[in-house]
Structure formats: structure tokens, C-alpha cells
Amino acid sequence: MRTRHLLMLLSLLTLVVTGCSSADATNPAGTGVQPGADVLSGLTEDEALANLLPADVRAAGVVKFGSSVGGQPPSSFYAEDNRTVLGQDVDLAEAVGRLLGVRIEREVAAFEVILPALGSGKYQVGTGNFGVTEARKKTIDFVTYINDGQGFAVRADDTRLTGVHDLRELCGLRIGTGAGTTFEATLEKEKHVCPDAGKPAYEVLSFAENAAIYLGLQQRHIDVVMSTINGLRHAAANQPNLKFLNEFKRLDVGFAFRKGSPLAPAFQAAVNRLVKDGTYLRILEKWGTEDSAIPESLISPPEHA
């Protein structure tokens, strides 16, 4: 069944992407998002911070990023030219790069391949709204920069759910989510809860593209979407017939590195400098995520209970 749904949704994905105007993605109304705001002016290299970088990285003057790019703000998305990547992740990375005196060299990659590619050395840093979990911390280090997490959304005309506070409320429903995400991992790990309660199991449908998930929801091939809190709130404010239900679990989000990477302390110090001088809050205000601000950046903190 999953394969049939996947082929059906992917065949319609082009219609969704081309049918939504780029103006809607880059200049959304009513969410406080201001893509054109300049919040990085005046940021220059801080020698004390730059000295925290490994000598070879500082000499090269470049850090290679693997980045997952979504279809909408606030995390990351494409501008009207369909090439330029914008978003909160981009601004934070650029701000850190300026303080460290390095250029960010970004390669767009599928969400699920970025973390493994850090271990192989293909990328030095990964971005894609990666939540800090104990499972990921076994092979990955994180430098936190925002508190986001897991949430749910449904069609606005669907009255079956008013909120999801226990996964048993999803029994018998089809849940659309991103491949390789904490959402998929949570749903798959707890899939037994419905049969254990004598109820029909929920079905997990995983996709590489957010547009396919939202299309599936509106086409009624999916009943519920599980995704990022900030992403769902933005989508609900800008997409017709979409309703944000509730937060399910908060997670710290951070820059991802291979375990033990010497880059992590330099990135942490740079993020904390941005917090201290006010640039951090200006970036979050630009993308309407100031409610998700963290007081300080940490390296691989415990996963939120």
C-alpha cells in the first residue's frame, strides 16, 4: 500500500510545486516572516572565535555543508529563482561563518543521507532541522541553535482529531511524515501501541518531499501530518484547508557534525556570541520563530523527555 501511495503522490508533486506561486513561499502573509530583511550587516570575523577552528579549516577558509531544503519557511526553502536557498538555517550558518572567517559551501542533499555523509567525511556540517536525540548522539555531535520539535496538522475540514497527545489517538489513521526524520522514527518505534490496545494500527507513509505530504493530505490519501512545530505553524497560516493541531514533543535542533568533530566548539562559541550580541534574536524574528529561542548553545545536550 505504501508503494502505491508513494507513486501516486510523486506523480502529482510537480503539479503542487508549479501550482503554488513562488511569491507565496518567499513572502508569506500573516506569519511575521520577512525574507528580505538584512539581519547580518556588520558581522565580521572575530579572531578569537576563528582561532578555535582547526588550523587546516582556517587555512582553507571554507566549511562544506550538506543541507536539506524544504519547500517553505522558516527552516530553509528556495527563492523565486529556484536555486537560491533562504531561511533560518541559512542565516544562522552565514552568521556563524562570518564570525569564524570562513565561507559556507553548501550542497543540497536529501534529509536522510546527510547524517551518514558526515561520518564518511563528505560534509563537515549538516543542516536540515536536525533534532537532538539520544539515538543520533551515538554517532553525531550537535551544536544547538533553536528549540523546535514534533507537531501534528490535519485538513481544516477534518473534525476527527482536536489534538494528538497520545499516539493511540492515531489508531486506524494514515500519517504522512518525512523520510529519515525523528517523526518517522517515533511513529515506527511506537507502532505497537494501537494493536496492544486492541485497536487497528496506524499506517506510516514516509516521503522525501514536504510537498508530497501536503498534497497527500489534501487528496485524502493521508489523514494526519507529523512534522516540525514551526514548519507546520507556518504552513497552516499559508495553506488553505490546513489546521495545526498541537505540539507533541519539543526537541533541540542544531548543526550536525561527525562525532568528536573539532569544529563543534568553534560553532558553539559563535552561536553564543550571536545570542549575546542580539543577532540571534534578530534572525529568529525575521523568520517568525522567536518563541523557539534558546538561552545558550550547547554541544549534544540530553534529549528532551
Side-chain angles (χ1 to χ4, degrees):
M1 182 177 290
R2 177 180 296 188
T3 301
R4 188 175 75 247
H5 282 303
L6 178 60
L7 291 173
M8 183 185 303
L9 293 175
L10 290 181
S11 68
L12 293 171
L13 177 58
T14 302
L15 296 178
V16 173
V17 174
T18 58
C20 297
S21 70
S22 56
D24 290 337
T26 57
N27 191 24
T31 61
V33 175
Q34 306 170 60
D38 179 7
V39 293
L40 303 183
S41 292
L43 283 181
T44 58
E45 180 179 345
D46 181 309
E47 188 171 357
L49 294 177
N51 283 333
L52 297 176
L53 289 170
D56 60 335
V57 174
R58 189 168 188 190
V62 62
V63 176
K64 183 67 177 293
F65 273 58
S67 297
S68 172
V69 179
Q72 63 189 14
S75 181
S76 62
F77 63 104
Y78 285 109
E80 292 183 14
D81 60 10
N82 291 318
R83 293 189 304 273
T84 305
V85 181
L86 304 174
Q88 173 182 271
D89 286 357
V90 177
D91 283 347
L92 285 167
E94 176 62 23
V96 167
R98 291 189 186 190
L99 290 179
L100 296 178
V102 294
R103 176 174 58 85
I104 304 302
E105 183 179 301
R106 187 182 310 279
E107 179 177 306
V108 176
F111 181 93
E112 63 269 25
V113 307
I114 293 174
L115 296 186
L118 294 172
S120 71
K122 182 176 182 179
Y123 306 124
Q124 294 167 291
V125 187
T127 58
N129 216 72
F130 288 111
V132 179
T133 68
E134 296 305 318
R136 285 175 173 169
K137 283 166 54 181
K138 293 176 182 178
T139 57
I140 300 294
D141 277 337
F142 294 92
V143 169
T144 60
Y145 58 77
I146 199 166
N147 179 251
D148 197 344
Q150 304 173 340
F152 289 95
V154 295
R155 293 184 305 277
D157 59 5
D158 189 336
T159 59
R160 288 175 294 178
L161 291 171
T162 57
V164 179
H165 305 284
D166 186 309
L167 294 182
R168 284 171 292 191
E169 297 171 64
L170 300 172
C171 295
L173 300 180
R174 297 160 298 180
I175 308 155
T177 196
T181 62
T182 61
F183 322 115
E184 182 185 42
T186 296
L187 292 168
E188 292 290 357
K189 179 182 178 182
E190 301 299 324
K191 206 170 184 179
H192 63 90
V193 298
C194 292
D196 288 352
K199 299 180 179 181
Y202 55 69
E203 184 179 1
V204 183
L205 301 173
S206 304
F207 303 94
E209 296 286 346
N210 279 336
I213 298 172
Y214 290 120
L215 175 61
L217 184 70
Q218 298 304 335
Q219 295 285 334
R220 302 180 186 273
H221 302 301
I222 291 170
D223 299 305
V224 189
V225 174
M226 188 179 189
S227 189
T228 66
I229 294 167
N230 288 329
L232 287 177
R233 281 182 169 147
H234 174 85
N238 289 275
Q239 291 189 30
N241 198 31
L242 183 67
K243 176 174 64 177
F244 177 73
L245 286 180
N246 63 286
E247 298 182 9
F248 184 71
K249 180 182 179 180
R250 281 278 176 172
L251 285 172
D252 287 318
V253 170
F255 296 109
F257 306 81
R258 66 172 173 80
K259 198 71 178 176
S261 170
L263 289 175
F267 271 66
Q268 180 198 23
V271 173
N272 281 327
R273 156 71 187 277
L274 295 171
V275 172
K276 184 176 181 180
D277 71 16
T279 303
Y280 172 74
L281 185 56
R282 288 193 293 275
I283 293 173
L284 268 56
E285 288 173 341
K286 172 179 176 178
W287 298 108
T289 59
E290 58 268 33
D291 288 346
S292 291
I294 58 174
E296 66 172 328
S297 176
L298 300 174
I299 296 178
S300 299
E303 178 181 350
H304 286 287

